Amino acid sequence: MSINEDYSENGFAFPIRAISAEKAREIRQQLEEVERSLEDQSVLKFNANFVLPFLQELTTLESITDAVAEVLGDDLLVWGCNLFIKEAKSEHYVSWHQDLHYWGLNEDDQVTAWLALSPATIESGCMKFVPGSHKTIVEHRDTFHEDNLLTRGQEIAVDVDEADAVAIELQPGEMSLHHGRLFHGSDPNRSNDRRIGVAMRFIKPSMKQVGGQKSLATLAKGQDKFGNFELVEPPKEMLSPEAIALRQRALDISQTILYDGADK
Ligand SMILES: O=C(O)CCC(=O)C(=O)O
């Protein structure tokens, strides 16, 4: 089955080898060096690709963009790129949710490529997907639970039957693709290693942000014939002041979108 057939039926495809295990280890080392060098790590919490060239480079790698292009076509923007890190033996989890519920985008031409930089296993709290659930839209509620890695602790407001879910186990360097309306979540990390994932959010350039904002995006493949997003240049150096300011501007715009209608 091709990626596209698998994906349109189930709303996801995995495992897909994106980079070698060796390359994944190198990127993890680079990331952990940056973490150690920063007293305040908040700059890594959202769109870290704006400040770390080695993450931004992942978003244009052919092994990743070609797989995404099988679903979305040859013109691709990166709308976001977030690290999902669960420390060893930690309670952090991700509640069941559909990404697009909160992203203020007008269509669903969006795919997340989630790349493992450490083993994502049932023990370490890999993602869980409900096959076919991308074909429905359901209500969500906010929990703001302190262990929830999502911005609003948002969760699906109806019961999700765990028995329907598939565990998305990935080795370092493998990725999964998932649809923005797929029911997904993940459990705490019970393993002795950190669980580190890079979630790259790809969209078709024809998508639009509703409500008039222009989110910042980078070009991953092909061209943007629409101009619906503000295209910015990839970072050239690590954590440069210009890149940090750009990331902050992206965050400010994104927060007005992600917290729209929230109580907090
Ligand atoms: O990393 C996780 O466990 C969840 C990630 C997620 O919800 C996403 O990438 O959309």
Side-chain angles (χ1 to χ4, degrees):
M1 212 187 248
S2 73
I3 287 177
N4 204 0
E5 276 170 308
D6 225 2
Y7 187 93
S8 41
E9 181 62 24
N10 294 320
F12 62 89
F14 88 109
I16 301 164
R17 171 63 56 192
I19 53 175
S20 66
E22 180 54 32
K23 182 76 185 160
R25 198 167 26 248
E26 269 172 39
I27 296 173
R28 176 178 177 169
Q29 273 168 3
Q30 279 177 291
L31 175 64
E32 290 183 336
E33 264 171 46
V34 173
E35 288 179 315
R36 281 191 292 274
S37 74
L38 289 173
E39 216 163 284
D40 172 7
Q41 297 192 358
S42 53
V43 78
L44 303 179
K45 296 261 182 294
F46 166 86
N47 272 12
N49 62 315
F50 276 27
V51 292
L52 302 178
F54 64 85
L55 282 190
Q56 176 62 24
E57 278 160 24
L58 287 173
T59 68
T60 57
L61 268 191
E62 274 181 16
S63 53
I64 295 177
T65 58
D66 283 355
V68 176
E70 280 196 47
V71 181
L72 292 183
D74 282 333
D75 295 328
L76 297 175
L77 301 184
V78 182
W79 179 84
C81 175
N82 293 327
L83 291 163
F84 277 88
I85 301 180
K86 292 179 189 165
E87 299 301 336
K89 305 270 184 212
S90 69
E91 290 304 319
H92 287 131
Y93 70 99
V94 173
S95 48
W96 287 108
H97 67 287
Q98 294 178 298
D99 293 326
L100 284 171
H101 199 81
Y102 291 86
W103 292 359
L105 291 165
N106 66 332
E107 300 284 349
D108 60 6
D109 296 323
Q110 186 275 324
V111 170
T112 292
W114 194 104
L115 172 71
L117 295 183
S118 67
T121 60
I122 293 174
E123 194 189 11
S124 72
C126 65
M127 284 195 290
K128 302 174 291 184
F129 294 162
V130 178
S133 55
H134 62 301
K135 295 173 187 162
T136 53
I137 297 178
V138 293
E139 283 309 310
H140 285 58
R141 58 179 165 235
D142 298 336
T143 68
F144 292 98
H145 192 289
E146 60 177 352
D147 289 326
N148 196 327
L149 293 180
L150 300 179
T151 40
R152 301 163 64 144
Q154 59 266 38
E155 65 180 20
I156 287 174
V158 294
D159 283 341
V160 176
D161 189 348
E162 292 275 340
D164 295 337
V166 176
I168 309 301
E169 293 195 291
L170 298 171
Q171 288 308 307
E174 290 180 339
M175 67 174 177
S176 56
L177 301 184
H178 74 260
H179 188 285
R181 295 224 181 268
L182 189 73
F183 291 11
H184 63 291
S186 65
D187 294 324
N189 181 359
R190 306 285 178 221
S191 80
N192 292 320
D193 192 8
R194 312 176 81 197
R195 196 223 60 171
I196 306 175
V198 186
M200 293 166 256
R201 318 299 191 179
F202 293 95
I203 57 171
K204 276 190 180 183
S206 53
M207 292 271 267
K208 266 193 194 142
Q209 207 69 63
V210 293
Q213 300 98 334
K214 267 197 174 191
S215 300
L216 306 196
T218 54
L219 185 66
K221 185 177 170 71
Q223 45 180 321
D224 174 10
K225 299 184 197 121
F226 295 86
N228 292 339
F229 296 85
E230 182 183 336
L231 286 198
V232 297
E233 286 299 311
K236 293 185 182 58
E237 299 162 38
M238 290 268 245
L239 298 163
S240 70
E242 298 75 29
I244 289 175
L246 192 63
R247 191 208 73 101
Q248 186 59 48
R249 191 153 72 79
L251 176 63
D252 293 343
I253 295 170
S254 154
Q255 282 192 328
T256 63
I257 297 165
L258 294 179
Y259 286 98
D260 187 36
D263 290 340
K264 292 196 182 182

